[in-house]
Amino acid sequence: MLKITPGESQNKVKPRSLAIMDLGSGTFRLVVYEYEPGLSFHLADELREPVALGEGLSRGRISPQALERGKKALRAFADFLRAVAPDEVRILATSAIRDSENGREILEEALALGLSPKLLSGEEEARLGVLAVANALPLEEALVVDQGGGSAQVSRMQGRRFLWGRALPLGALRLTEGFLASDPPARAEVRALVQAVMAHLEALPLEPGVPVVGLGGNVRAVARLHQKRRGYPLDFVHGYYLPREGVEELYEDVLSLSLKARSELPGLQQDRARTLPATLVLLRTLLRHTRAPGLWLSGMGIREGALFQHLLPSPHLLPDPRAFAVENLFRRYPFRADHRERVKALALALYRGLSPLHGYGPEEERLLLEAAHLHDIGMHLGYHEHHKHGAYLVLSEPLLGTPHREQVFLALLVRYHRRGEPSLGGYRNLMARGDGKRLWRLAALLRLAEMLERTRSGRVKGVRVELGERVRLTLEAEEDPWVERLEAEKQGGLFQEAFGLPLEVVWGR
């Protein structure tokens, strides 16, 4: 089992770079990750070319124009790799190359450029998608649907492991070419497409009640459209829940639009406009057939699945994706680990000592400790306003295994660990009942812990909590920690607002 040691020196493991080229049926992508085996990773660079290689796939052959676009992208990617010289390169060839009569031309071009592509089987592609989901979302069970341009992998994840998977000819570009010739799609065309999708789904051993996860660029495009309509306050789709009524609404609206009108939809990449109706038909039919109330979005797919195979030993699963994500963020923006651990210990002592007043459980304790783990990461952008910088960094990208509500809550705790009146602000609609009071209380505890470690010297060894008509904090220190005691006393107003009792801070040996 992977063990992550907090504060472990980053010099003990040599960082490596991994380039992954994904020769998709709709889009070619080249991503470069920098990673420390078993410990951390981040995306360092990315190239994207919308080659639509699956053009002609419904007739069995990639069109000459699509082949030329694919070869041109390969030449650009090969040139980039020569210049960047990553430690490792993996090249994944998928549905269009696998299923077409002339797809080997792309493989031959890659070999001529000095590249070594791996032609994935449908099951191998499905396995990589499931591995990504297992490490990226807080789900044990799922039906994973990864729609590309040429195929859709439908897989069953059980206990975070791959159970079975099928590659079906339900890619967005293939379905568009094969069924949706009119602009906008004619009703008869859509009916024929629904029947074709149903025929494939009915042949699968699908179980009701299993959460559905959607992957792929077109599926993410659908989610972004729904977010735009809702005025969603976060700008990433990984971890987003798209309800079935949202899919139904977009289905009714988008399928009536012309290609030109679809191209003008806010937040939609131009190359997705053509194939968006086919994706909506697939999602709507799937959700109706499985009677699922909606689907979870994964921003991670086969490229990240390949990354996890390099990052982690077999079976390539993070024991706790959320804990990994928090430590991963800390390792990118580290601050003094001894200070961090003392703030965490003080925050935990305050939390448990005040449990009769707040009555919270392990969820709130985890959030408080995660916030203490990250509270000073904003120092990398500057001391002044570092609490705001830290909140920005927490929300700069999705955190593995962390629901959006918890990630926002974590960012807000970091935001208010130093100053300011805690507020949910523009994230109120994401939060649960009672989260306003919860934020006040946890922010007060984190700020007190930070003030009790104000000199970053560890003078306050511990804190005893006494409850009565007021809350008395007795600081355990060799001598009177004047600065820490004074700074903690200044938080009396925040504390009383949060807990309804006055605060007293005293020194004791």
Side-chain angles (χ1 to χ4, degrees):
M1 179 178 290
L2 173 68
K3 182 178 180 181
I4 301 168
T5 303
E8 184 174 343
S9 170
Q10 297 188 60
N11 297 322
K12 291 183 180 179
V13 179
K14 182 182 178 181
R16 297 187 61 80
S17 57
L18 168 67
I20 301 174
M21 194 183 301
D22 176 6
L23 307 181
S25 304
T27 304
F28 280 12
R29 287 183 188 268
L30 173 61
V31 296
V32 180
Y33 288 100
E34 294 179 357
Y35 74 100
E36 298 170 286
L39 293 172
S40 68
F41 73 88
H42 69 273
L43 179 65
D45 212 336
E46 179 178 28
L47 294 178
R48 178 184 187 273
E49 288 294 332
V51 298
L53 190 69
E55 189 175 270
L57 194 57
S58 63
R59 298 180 294 278
R61 291 180 63 82
I62 300 171
S63 72
Q65 297 85 353
L67 280 174
E68 184 52 40
R69 290 193 298 269
K71 292 176 181 180
K72 183 179 179 181
L74 276 177
R75 290 192 286 270
F77 287 3
D79 183 59
F80 182 88
L81 289 176
R82 281 192 294 271
V84 174
D87 296 317
E88 304 162 89
V89 177
R90 285 191 66 177
I91 302 170
L92 312 175
T94 59
S95 172
I97 299 171
R98 182 173 66 233
D99 296 343
S100 61
E101 296 175 7
N102 56 344
R104 180 153 293 276
E105 289 189 38
I106 293 293
L107 300 180
E108 291 169 353
E109 179 72 14
L111 290 170
L113 291 166
L115 305 174
S116 302
K118 160 71 172 175
L119 182 60
L120 298 177
S121 68
E123 181 173 305
E124 287 173 323
E125 196 172 348
R127 282 181 179 274
L128 288 176
V130 167
L131 179 58
V133 169
N135 283 320
L137 291 175
L139 297 171
E140 292 284 330
E141 312 286 319
L143 179 68
V144 179
V145 181
D146 181 1
Q147 189 192 39
S151 67
Q153 282 62 242
V154 180
S155 313
R156 178 71 163 87
M157 182 177 79
Q158 186 177 77
R160 299 181 67 209
R161 305 292 184 101
F162 178 86
L163 183 62
W164 59 260
R166 310 280 190 276
L168 306 176
L170 299 177
L173 187 56
R174 185 186 296 205
L175 294 181
T176 299
E177 280 193 340
F179 292 90
L180 306 180
S182 302
D183 183 27
R187 290 185 177 181
E189 294 172 345
V190 174
R191 284 197 297 271
L193 176 53
V194 170
Q195 291 173 359
V197 171
M198 276 297 298
H200 286 287
L201 295 180
E202 287 174 342
L204 298 176
L206 302 181
E207 312 159 52
V210 177
V212 177
V213 176
L215 326 185
N218 266 38
V219 178
R220 291 193 296 272
V222 171
R224 286 194 186 92
L225 289 176
H226 189 255
Q227 287 181 331
K228 290 286 185 182
R229 289 188 170 205
R230 286 185 59 195
Y232 200 68
L234 297 182
D235 61 359
F236 46 79
V237 298
H238 178 80
Y240 183 67
Y241 186 75
L242 177 59
R244 186 166 74 182
E245 54 266 28
V247 174
E248 295 278 356
E249 180 183 308
L250 287 168
Y251 174 92
E252 295 296 333
D253 294 347
V254 171
L255 265 68
S256 66
L257 299 177
S258 66
L259 175 59
K260 181 178 184 300
R262 295 198 301 272
S263 300
E264 296 170 354
L265 290 171
L268 185 68
Q269 292 172 315
Q270 292 296 305
D271 56 301
R272 304 292 181 195
R274 180 186 175 197
T275 54
L276 191 62
T279 297
L280 282 164
V281 170
L282 172 65
L283 293 180
R284 178 176 181 262
T285 306
L286 173 72
L287 294 178
R288 285 188 166 195
H289 179 62
T290 59
R291 299 191 296 279
L295 72 154
W296 295 96
L297 271 294
S298 173
M300 294 192 165
I302 66 168
R303 295 183 296 278
E304 290 78 14
L307 166 67
F308 287 124
Q309 289 180 333
H310 288 252
L311 179 71
L312 304 166
S314 182
H316 316 299
L317 291 175
L318 294 166
D320 186 337
R322 180 164 161 175
F324 176 90
V326 170
E327 176 68 6
N328 192 47
L329 189 56
F330 172 81
R331 293 180 75 87
R332 288 193 68 189
Y333 308 104
F335 55 94
R336 282 180 48 182
D338 59 344
H339 169 66
R340 180 198 66 192
E341 291 306 305
R342 289 193 290 265
V343 171
K344 289 175 72 172
L346 291 166
L348 183 60
L350 291 169
Y351 180 85
R352 292 182 175 175
L354 290 163
S355 61
L357 294 184
H358 57 66
Y360 296 148
E363 177 187 330
E364 290 83 0
E365 181 176 302
R366 180 169 190 167
L367 279 166
L368 178 62
L369 294 180
E370 288 172 339
H373 200 92
L374 298 174
H375 72 279
D376 272 349
I377 61 172
M379 290 283 200
H380 279 262
L381 302 184
Y383 174 79
H384 295 293
E385 307 293 308
H386 72 265
H387 51 301
K388 296 180 182 178
H389 302 326
Y392 164 79
L393 291 174
V394 172
L395 290 178
S396 61
E397 61 185 27
L399 295 180
L400 300 181
T402 308
H404 286 188
R405 170 184 165 266
E406 276 86 351
Q407 186 166 349
V408 168
F409 207 110
L410 178 57
L412 291 174
L413 286 174
V414 171
R415 163 66 179 84
Y416 294 111
H417 87 271
R418 180 167 174 252
R419 64 175 59 163
E421 184 175 295
S423 169
L424 299 178
Y427 301 108
R428 191 171 302 276
N429 290 340
L430 279 182
M431 310 310 277
R433 184 177 181 182
D435 274 351
K437 175 62 74 175
R438 195 174 282 110
L439 176 62
W440 269 89
R441 289 176 169 176
L442 296 185
L445 298 183
L446 180 58
R447 195 180 301 180
L448 273 173
E450 172 77 338
M451 295 306 118
L452 295 178
E453 174 53 12
R454 185 63 184 82
T455 62
R456 291 175 165 78
S457 63
R459 292 196 301 181
V460 176
K461 307 299 183 184
V463 57
R464 298 193 302 272
V465 180
E466 299 174 57
L467 304 181
E469 294 183 356
R470 63 181 59 235
V471 172
R472 171 180 288 184
L473 304 183
T474 301
L475 310 186
E476 299 172 355
E478 291 300 318
E479 58 184 30
D480 190 354
W482 178 261
V483 173
E484 289 85 348
R485 186 160 54 84
L486 177 64
E487 294 297 318
E489 287 172 348
K490 290 178 182 178
Q491 310 310 316
L494 174 68
F495 185 89
Q496 184 152 2
E497 183 69 28
F499 291 97
L501 291 173
L503 178 67
E504 181 183 8
V505 185
V506 300
W507 167 51
R509 290 183 184 274

